[in-house]
Amino acid sequence: MATKTFSVAKLPGFTTTAILVFIILYLPILTLVAYSFNASQSVAIWGGFSLDWYVKAWNNDAVKDATVRSLLIAVCAAVISTAVATMAALGTTRRKAFKGQTFIYVMINQPLMVPEIVTAVSLLILFGMVKQATGIQGIGYVIFAHSAFCIPFAYLPIRARLEGMDLTLETAAADLYATPWQTFRHVTLPILLPGVIAGAMLAFVISLDDVVITEFTKSGGQDTLPTYMLGQMRRQLTPEINAISSMLLALTVVLLTAFFLLTRKND
Amino acid sequence: MKKPALAVALLLTTALPALAEGQLNLFNWGDYTSPELLEKFKKDTGITVTVTDYDSNDTALAKVSVGGSGFDLVVPSAHFVQIYVEKGLIQKLDLTRLPHHSNIAPEWMDVEWDKGRNYTIPWQWGTTGISVDTSIYKGDPNTSELFLNPPDELKGKINVVPEMNEVVNLAVMWAGGEPCTEDVAVLKKAHDALINARPFWVSMDYGTTEHMANGDWAASVNWSGETFRSRLKNPNVIYGYPKEGYPLWMDSVALLSEAQNVDEAYTFLDFISLPENAALISAFARYPNGITGSEAFMPADMATAPEVNIPAEFKAAGHFMPTCSGKAAEYMAAIWTDLQK
Amino acid sequence: MSVAEKAQEAQSVRNGWLLSTPALIILTLFAVGPLMIVVVYSFLAPGQYGNVEWKLSLDGWRGILWTKDIFDDTYGLADANVTIFWRSVKLSILTTLLTFAVGFPTAWFIATRPAKSRALWLFLITIPFWTNLLIRTYAINEVIRNEGLLNTVLIKLGVISEPLRIIYTDTAVFIGMAYVYLPLMVLPLFAAIDRFDMKLLEAGYDLYASRMQVLRRVILPIVKPGIIAGSILVFVPSLGAYVTPRVLGGGKQMMIGNFIDLQFGQGRNWPLGAALSLTLLIIVTGALLIYVKYANRDVSNGH
């Protein structure tokens, strides 16, 4: 047998390919970050180390504006989508399967299935009509559009958490004459919380990343960081874009690391 | 966790400049608005201008015509002004609120698309021609042949700006027609030339100033001011006026019917009618502006730049772009769509 | 079942609906409902300068495949539309194949790591997944553009003397999409591989002669659900891609997403744009239904 052992870890070429994939996955991102420290005007030629582009991006009012707006939208969308997703998750788990449950699943997952451009176009038309008819303006439209497509991302981790949850604690609480609300507040929610936080974080990141739907639904002066960058990319490629990207990248990595540690602890 | 998040959201909402007093939303072409102008405007009037970019007349019109765009001012090209007027998207200006209206240069006052300037205030005007990098191509730059039938040096290195009206009309004039023609033979010739030339184009993109200055492209169908700005960074870049005919255009600022900040908009419109302010617009984007006396405040190189001062021999080839008839516009859109495949 | 139990169950169902209602309202208003407007718009006539005229017309739908010739009024195959659709489908399939070819070994690699380092590898695959798509597209642009990393290195090494012209071609869009959607392939593949007992494999290996046979007869059938899930997850967003072709295609190599966008701008044909959107939606739904069918069959076979 010694001549013919099968090691699952050693399929020929697999490890090499995998390592290459990881390198290829990270190399472009690292290049992008490296060039954000480029002293030269152009993105093409390396002109030495400098933090100028970060200073420039930091002092750029349009960037500041777009950043604040992106964060505002992402926070609101995360809060709204997580709140309704938590309720929906409670409604669709831990009870006997009921008629219409599939319908609810399909509805919740709809944003994952419909191409973004289609949703974007439909919202462009709808919001135009509503704005014209009511005269109501504001960032609310974008926030609700984001809330909608963030729901499935918030829903999934919460539901996963709920499904793995022990019902006996709640039954015990109910046996002790706790009201349903007290049971939820003091028993269910604390156990559910990591799932809720995880869901909110995913929703936040997803909202922060969105380009297409925002591009089509934004009104005057409502650029978010990604739509601002998309506009700039078509015109002036300076390392300032790299600096902005790097900052956004750092934020995402921090959030994801937190998410990673949070979910791992609960395994 | 929701309470603090909500608090943050509220905090951010109140911090948002969109809710602040003295706000104006300008919808303008990308890389076209002088930051110095906006700074000076804010210093003088306290009004903050938020600029949102668009990259073509059609994109701007589409966004505005859906309704509820949230913009106060838009900067359409001359041939789009009447469309905005017809669709009721822009409002007639109250000239009593524009004390410096008479600063508009006489030749730009009684223009066909806006007689007496009751709807628009000049922003900038220019031409659409061809930028050429002379380190790569040394021949005559003054012809549409460069992008419709490119010489070998330029093959695979030419960009064409994705502005339907100007590109199609350049080809139409090259084919011997008038802008906005409905002559099928001419249109067919223009169509075929564009389709056959397309494989030799590297891209159909904006960002011409940087790309020409960096040497990414050897030539590009391009605007005069953009070429000027490239040349300041890279002296090899020159501007060609296609002798077969090239578009002349003017972009003007108009007040949208649904504008929310009308007072601020009037303040801005009058502000840019002052020569020293109009000069700031030109000093940035490098196009002349149509306000009398602004030349005195412009950088000295504007007075001599070949991109700004059309050489006498090419003056006749310039055609001001008219508003096309519905039929002509349909032809144009069809050719353009075909060109996108 | 007692009356009380029945009542309790009805109550439970009611609560289920009640709790789901807020989510359903938001989704109806901002995701599902607006699609109905697109349906309506696809049956209207285009306005002269964009938007629509409120009269019934089938031109939007007809315009997907047939077009009035520009110069005479005969109808013919819409050449541009077909070309763009074909490019989208072709590039999406190629993207799916390439991501599978490199994603499978990667997922395998991760799944066969010791438990401790496995989480870390998985995390490394997840970071790009959650990173802004626009930023990742821009990052790949940094590598493949004329003066980018790839050309600089190759020229320095003396492999080529002229920069490879990749940017603004179909290849650029293809590379870009494979790059940005790769994590979507790796994650479900990993999930499928991770689920089954590796010892089975080693046992299976004794029965079959070669590695290739083990791969084909044992491994592939087991990870099939993962392959289907990964393929769908890559194919669907590729087909609807908008940002990647816009940034890497240089305005020339359009895909359906950009073509839809064009109809709402310079194309001035909103009904066609609406009909194209719905066509895209129908193709995607078809792909998903196939997925559901296969996924269900695998489950029933498994028991």
Side-chain angles (χ1 to χ4, degrees):
Chain A
M1 282 305 283
T3 52
K4 202 191 164 192
T5 49
F6 183 85
S7 166
V8 286
K10 287 201 180 92
L11 282 169
F14 272 32
T15 304
T16 323
T17 314
I19 299 292
L20 268 177
V21 163
F22 279 105
I23 293 173
I24 291 171
L25 219 45
Y26 280 90
L27 197 64
I29 298 177
L30 294 177
T31 314
L32 180 147
V33 174
Y35 269 90
S36 69
F37 299 108
N38 189 359
S40 149
Q41 258 286 323
S42 146
V43 285
I45 308 136
W46 180 255
F49 180 86
S50 135
L51 288 172
D52 286 0
W53 294 107
Y54 285 89
V55 177
K56 211 164 170 200
W58 193 254
N59 290 325
N60 185 336
D61 280 341
V63 174
K64 245 186 274 178
D65 230 40
T67 309
V68 172
R69 195 171 296 112
S70 280
L71 292 175
L72 168 77
I73 294 170
V75 168
C76 294
V79 170
I80 294 170
S81 60
T82 310
V84 300
T86 308
M87 291 172 69
L90 288 166
T92 49
T93 49
R94 306 181 311 152
R95 62 189 78 233
K96 252 177 102 176
F98 57 92
K99 223 172 154 185
Q101 209 169 9
T102 318
F103 168 76
I104 298 176
Y105 285 150
V106 171
M107 283 288 283
I108 286 175
N109 287 311
Q110 189 265 5
L112 296 178
M113 298 182 284
V114 175
E116 254 197 304
I117 182 81
V118 178
T119 311
V121 161
S122 65
L123 288 172
L124 170 87
I125 300 173
L126 174 76
F127 288 173
M129 285 175 163
V130 175
K131 283 175 192 169
Q132 219 165 21
T134 63
I136 299 170
Q137 288 282 343
I139 198 75
Y141 294 96
V142 181
I143 290 175
F144 275 104
H146 278 229
S147 304
F149 69 72
C150 286
I151 288 175
F153 292 95
Y155 174 81
L156 289 174
I158 301 171
R159 187 184 146 190
R161 182 89 192 158
L162 273 170
E163 278 177 341
M165 213 169 119
D166 196 350
L167 275 174
T168 48
L169 273 176
E170 285 174 312
T171 322
D175 287 347
L176 293 171
Y177 300 104
T179 63
W181 171 250
Q182 281 174 323
T183 312
F184 176 74
R185 176 72 188 75
H186 296 287
V187 181
T188 319
L189 193 60
I191 306 175
L192 193 57
L193 204 56
V196 173
I197 295 174
M201 279 177 169
L202 290 194
F204 182 82
V205 173
I206 288 290
S207 163
L208 205 59
D209 282 357
D210 181 71
V211 188
V212 181
I213 288 176
T214 319
E215 177 75 11
F216 280 77
T217 52
K218 69 174 191 207
S219 285
Q222 293 186 345
D223 259 324
T224 63
L225 210 45
T227 63
Y228 172 79
M229 285 168 56
L230 184 69
Q232 288 299 301
M233 265 178 216
R234 297 209 78 189
R235 267 165 229 118
Q236 274 200 308
L237 286 184
T238 63
E240 192 181 343
I241 294 287
N242 298 48
I244 301 169
S245 303
S246 303
M247 289 192 273
L248 198 54
L249 213 58
L251 179 65
T252 312
V253 171
V254 167
L255 277 175
L256 286 177
T257 311
F259 172 77
F260 176 69
L261 295 174
L262 204 72
T263 45
R264 205 171 59 154
K265 216 167 49 196
N266 300 313
D267 273 348
Chain B
M1 63 119 327
K2 263 172 224 148
K3 264 185 202 151
L6 209 64
V8 172
L10 283 173
L11 200 74
L12 286 168
T13 319
T14 47
L16 258 198
L19 297 173
E21 290 281 307
Q23 172 73 18
L24 182 64
N25 277 316
L26 171 64
F27 198 27
N28 200 354
W29 299 76
D31 206 17
Y32 204 41
T33 318
S34 158
E36 287 81 23
L37 177 83
L38 302 185
E39 251 166 57
K40 183 165 182 235
F41 184 63
K42 176 155 191 189
K43 226 175 85 200
D44 290 6
T45 64
I47 301 168
T48 311
V49 182
T50 308
V51 184
T52 306
D53 291 355
Y54 56 82
D55 36 37
S56 75
N57 278 310
D58 292 277
T59 320
L61 178 66
K63 188 96 191 179
V64 169
S65 69
V66 194
S69 67
F71 299 110
D72 302 307
L73 296 169
V74 68
V75 193
S77 298
H79 59 277
F80 267 71
V81 170
Q82 276 311 313
I83 302 174
Y84 277 92
V85 173
E86 267 170 41
K87 298 188 86 175
L89 295 171
I90 57 177
Q91 49 181 297
K92 200 161 187 174
L93 297 173
D94 176 0
L95 298 189
T96 59
R97 301 183 69 175
L98 298 167
H100 300 97
H101 187 263
S102 56
N103 282 353
I104 298 172
E107 68 269 32
W108 293 114
M109 180 64 93
D110 260 329
V111 286
E112 204 180 321
W113 74 86
D114 184 10
K115 285 238 163 37
R117 289 287 182 171
N118 285 308
Y119 286 96
T120 60
I121 301 295
W123 180 256
Q124 298 187 97
W125 66 271
T127 59
T128 309
I130 295 175
S131 324
V132 177
D133 187 333
T134 50
S135 68
I136 294 164
Y137 179 72
K138 298 192 167 52
D140 177 18
N142 299 302
T143 169
S144 289
E145 287 281 314
L146 291 191
F147 82 101
L148 290 173
N149 196 6
D152 287 340
E153 303 96 295
L154 294 181
K155 279 180 184 163
K157 294 172 185 168
I158 311 168
N159 175 68
V160 173
V161 287
E163 183 64 27
M164 171 172 77
N165 197 74
E166 285 152 52
V167 174
V168 175
N169 276 327
L170 267 171
V172 162
M173 288 185 274
W174 168 87
E178 294 279 312
C180 293
T181 185
E182 294 177 30
D183 181 336
V184 172
V186 169
L187 284 164
K188 203 164 169 54
K189 192 175 168 198
H191 167 261
D192 294 350
L194 286 167
I195 298 288
N196 293 334
R198 188 181 177 277
F200 303 123
W201 304 344
V202 57
S203 52
M204 294 173 74
D205 214 346
Y206 299 98
T208 50
T209 308
E210 291 290 318
H211 284 296
M212 283 306 296
N214 289 344
D216 295 341
W217 300 332
S220 175
V221 171
N222 199 0
W223 297 287
S224 47
E226 307 277 329
T227 314
F228 191 170
R229 290 165 75 183
S230 302
R231 176 169 62 83
L232 294 175
K233 294 182 182 174
N234 177 356
N236 286 331
V237 177
I238 58 162
Y239 187 63
Y241 293 89
K243 53 176 172 277
E244 299 89 353
Y246 60 87
L248 263 164
W249 46 260
M250 173 177 256
D251 299 331
S252 308
V253 193
L255 178 58
L256 289 167
S257 304
E258 57 180 19
Q260 309 241 318
N261 307 300
V262 175
D263 294 340
E264 288 85 351
Y266 272 108
T267 311
F268 186 78
L269 289 173
D270 203 50
F271 185 79
I272 59 166
S273 310
L274 289 169
E276 61 269 33
N277 300 331
L280 288 176
I281 305 176
S282 300
F284 174 78
R286 297 287 174 165
Y287 298 93
N289 54 54
I291 297 294
T292 312
S294 64
E295 294 82 1
F297 300 94
M298 285 189 211
D301 53 4
M302 292 283 287
T304 52
E307 295 88 356
V308 175
N309 306 282
I310 307 172
E313 48 180 321
F314 299 120
K315 275 218 166 106
H319 293 269
F320 208 89
M321 290 295 109
T323 310
C324 298
S325 67
K327 187 76 193 160
E330 241 175 70
Y331 279 131
M332 205 176 272
I335 293 177
W336 192 250
T337 304
D338 218 25
L339 199 57
Q340 302 304 319
K341 69 187 180 195
Chain C
M1 202 191 301
S2 76
V3 178
E5 273 173 336
K6 251 189 192 155
Q8 208 174 18
E9 203 179 301
Q11 174 70 34
S12 157
V13 171
R14 227 182 354 263
N15 283 346
W17 277 103
L18 221 55
L19 284 165
S20 309
T21 305
L24 293 179
I25 289 176
I26 291 184
L27 287 161
T28 306
L29 288 179
F30 300 99
V32 183
L35 292 179
M36 300 306 131
I37 300 181
V38 180
V39 174
V40 173
Y41 264 51
S42 72
F43 288 105
L44 297 175
Q48 195 183 339
Y49 301 109
N51 218 327
V52 288
E53 270 176 46
W54 285 89
K55 58 179 185 210
L56 189 73
S57 161
L58 290 173
D59 282 354
W61 284 99
R62 187 158 49 182
I64 290 174
L65 277 183
W66 290 277
T67 184
K68 222 187 322 187
D69 189 274
I70 307 178
F71 302 113
D72 52 59
D73 280 349
T74 58
Y75 272 87
L77 201 64
D79 202 16
N81 307 13
V82 173
T83 313
I84 289 165
F85 259 93
W86 171 235
R87 174 184 294 128
S88 302
V89 172
K90 184 184 72 182
L91 288 180
S92 303
I93 291 174
L94 284 175
T95 303
T96 311
L97 290 177
L98 179 64
T99 51
F100 174 70
V102 300
F104 185 74
T106 309
W108 189 267
F109 172 82
I110 299 173
T112 52
R113 288 311 94 188
K116 246 194 158 156
S117 62
R118 191 188 313 170
L120 181 70
W121 287 110
L122 202 58
F123 182 55
L124 284 177
I125 266 292
T126 338
I127 288 184
F129 174 68
W130 295 112
T131 304
N132 194 310
L133 178 85
L134 183 65
I135 293 182
R136 280 183 293 147
T137 308
Y138 180 60
I140 198 81
N141 175 57
E142 291 270 54
V143 173
I144 62 176
R145 66 195 158 81
N146 289 352
E147 319 81 4
L149 188 69
L150 182 71
N151 278 317
T152 313
V153 169
L154 288 180
I155 290 176
K156 283 247 167 75
L157 290 177
V159 181
I160 50 170
S161 56
E162 278 273 295
L164 293 175
R165 192 168 284 282
I166 302 171
I167 190 80
Y168 302 151
T169 62
D170 275 358
T171 316
V173 179
F174 166 50
I175 293 175
M177 290 203 304
Y179 176 68
V180 296
Y181 296 129
L182 179 65
L184 292 173
M185 177 64 89
V186 175
L187 291 173
L189 280 178
F190 165 78
I193 298 168
D194 194 42
R195 254 205 307 262
F196 91 103
D197 188 358
M198 290 293 175
K199 287 201 184 69
L200 274 180
L201 250 196
E202 281 158 40
Y205 187 59
D206 297 332
L207 301 173
Y208 294 102
S210 72
R211 281 196 170 113
M212 266 324 280
Q213 276 172 318
V214 177
L215 193 68
R216 224 182 57 226
R217 302 234 174 112
V218 185
I219 301 175
L220 280 185
I222 296 173
V223 298
K224 204 170 115 196
I227 298 175
I228 298 169
S231 304
I232 292 285
L233 283 179
V234 172
F235 183 76
V236 169
S238 300
L239 202 62
Y242 171 82
V243 171
T244 309
R246 177 162 163 181
V247 174
L248 298 177
K252 256 178 89 196
Q253 312 318 118
M254 279 201 181
M255 290 184 48
I256 304 174
N258 314 88
F259 195 54
I260 291 172
D261 179 29
L262 180 78
Q263 302 311 322
F264 287 87
Q266 295 190 321
R268 295 180 183 175
N269 198 339
W270 290 28
L272 177 60
L276 285 168
S277 303
L278 294 171
T279 310
L280 177 61
L281 188 58
I282 291 165
I283 298 177
V284 166
T285 312
L288 287 171
L289 285 178
I290 293 172
Y291 164 61
V292 171
K293 205 177 120 192
Y294 273 96
N296 284 345
R297 199 163 69 189
D298 279 330
V299 171
S300 47
N301 281 356
H303 289 279

